[in-house]
Amino acid sequence: MTTRADGRALDQLRPVTIERGWSSQAEGSALISFGGTKVLCTASFTNGVPRWLTGKGKGWVTAEYAMLPRATNDRSTRESVKGKIGGRTHEISRLIGRALRAVVDTKSLGENTIVIDCDVLQADGGTRTASITGAYVALVDAIEWGREKGFVAKKATPLSDSIAAISVGIIDGTPMLDLPYEEDSRADTDMNIVMTGSGKFVEVQGTAEAAPFDKAELDQLLELGAKGCADLTQLQQAALGR
């Protein structure tokens, strides 16, 4: 099988670590690494919901994404200093929130709010997919914190499944899994795949950056993504002690 610049097989993840409970202050947290990409995911639990949900017997889960100024090779100005949140930041924040809500039963959660903050400490491709994968671990612990405090019913099951995400792409005509920046920056096709632990697709974001792709290549990318998400699901469960 063809190997890549870093020696990995085409269908192999970068080294992945999940440090559960990294933050002592947050109700749930995980520091996740996909190779050189490192993201701190913290989950904050609040008893209560936004005004537009008050009295409806439902909870809310949302997410915010940001990158530290030196997460990349060159320093970027903090968006808080610019006074404007960029379009990419908005888009990724919404993606993470959608992905998490796909496996959340808001009625079982009760009138509680969980906000997940995904802060990129170091970026080397796949920051949004690492964020989703780590955010799930933080979310599980935040929900269990709420259960222990009596805000979530003892027998409630707010989570219907797990959620993970991975990048895939076509580089020099070859489909590959989990792209670092070196590969992502020159990919003919770039795709992010979000899946549940039971193997269902939640979101597929795919773009032909340089060359259009055919159905056979799409099928290959989806298969690679499914394998990657299944591998990540096992790592999530191991981190959660399941």
Side-chain angles (χ1 to χ4, degrees), residues 40 46 62 78 80 132 151 171 188:
L40 175 59
T46 303
T62 188
R78 296 179 192 272
S80 60
I132 291 168
F151 298 131
I171 295 90
D188 297 328

Side-chain angles (χ1 to χ4, degrees), residues 68-152:
L68 294 188
R70 275 313 300 265
T72 53
N73 289 331
D74 298 312
R75 186 184 187 277
S76 58
T77 305
R78 296 179 192 272
E79 291 180 325
S80 60
V81 174
K82 291 179 181 177
K84 180 182 179 182
I85 304 298
R88 177 180 181 275
T89 299
H90 271 305
E91 183 239 326
I92 296 176
S93 296
R94 289 195 296 266
L95 168 65
I96 299 166
R98 284 197 306 272
L100 296 173
R101 289 192 296 273
V103 296
V104 173
D105 179 348
T106 54
K107 287 187 177 179
S108 292
L109 182 60
E111 291 202 8
N112 299 295
T113 300
I114 299 176
V115 179
I116 313 285
D117 287 291
C118 297
D119 291 291
V120 179
L121 310 182
Q122 185 170 285
D124 184 24
T127 61
R128 72 186 69 195
T129 55
S131 294
I132 291 168
T133 305
Y136 169 75
V137 174
L139 176 62
V140 170
D141 280 344
I143 289 172
E144 290 311 307
W145 181 93
R147 197 190 307 275
E148 289 171 9
K149 298 295 182 181
F151 298 131
V152 177

Side-chain angles (χ1 to χ4, degrees), residues 192-205:
N192 296 298
I193 296 175
V194 186
M195 296 184 73
T196 65
S198 59
K200 294 182 179 178
F201 291 96
V202 171
E203 189 141 351
V204 177
Q205 299 181 330

Side-chain angles (χ1 to χ4, degrees), residues 11 13 34 129 132-133 162-168 177-178 192-203 221-237:
D11 63 350
L13 295 171
F34 278 23
T129 55
I132 291 168
T133 305
S162 62
I163 197 85
I166 198 65
S167 65
V168 292
L177 176 70
D178 190 15
N192 296 298
I193 296 175
V194 186
M195 296 184 73
T196 65
S198 59
K200 294 182 179 178
F201 291 96
V202 171
E203 189 141 351
L221 291 174
L222 293 176
E223 285 182 17
L224 281 173
K227 179 188 182 299
C229 285
D231 291 344
L232 289 172
T233 297
Q234 290 184 340
L235 291 168
Q236 288 172 323
Q237 298 305 313

